[in-house]
Amino acid sequence: MILLTLEICTALRANDEARRAAVMAGADEPDFVPLVKFFNPVGAATWLATELGEDGDTLFGLADLGFGCPELGSFSLSELASVRLPFGLGIERDLAFTGRAPLSKWAILARRAGSIIAAETLLRRMANAANDDLPSLDG
């Protein structure tokens, strides 16, 4: 599987450039919504990425190796791509992933819940509850 499409790569690079520009201007760093989710199809490891460095390999985001302590930081795209799992599998990109919230919110929820997967469930429930409060459009 191709872990990053050109479109996602371009968006991740744009986020990195926007963050760098904010730092250079002395402004607050943007709190981006994750653009991509990677996962281990036979384990609990999950990564969310918001930025891609100039080297085209260093991603920034939230990493959860399945030990109950998700962490913000950098990780390597080439290392993710090189992982060989049982049954000939590798790390995959979640094609249906929707960021839903800024990375800081993901980090808070993932740390409280113990995993990115649990945080994703909480965010989905919050979104569904918010939609339930909206009036019906069925006439």
Side-chain angles (χ1 to χ4, degrees), residues 61-128:
L62 186 63
D64 176 5
L65 299 181
F67 302 118
C69 51
E71 295 183 18
L72 289 170
S74 298
F75 46 95
S76 168
L77 178 62
S78 61
E79 284 185 23
L80 291 179
S82 71
V83 172
R84 297 294 166 246
L85 300 166
F87 314 112
L89 297 171
I91 300 301
E92 296 187 18
R93 176 172 39 95
D94 183 341
L95 301 176
F97 176 72
T98 303
R100 299 185 195 270
L103 189 62
S104 63
K105 187 168 189 173
W106 277 97
I108 290 166
L109 289 173
R111 288 174 182 146
R112 286 182 186 162
S115 74
I116 290 173
I117 295 167
E120 188 169 22
T121 300
L122 291 172
L123 284 167
R124 191 176 299 113
R125 286 182 185 159
M126 287 192 279
N128 289 341

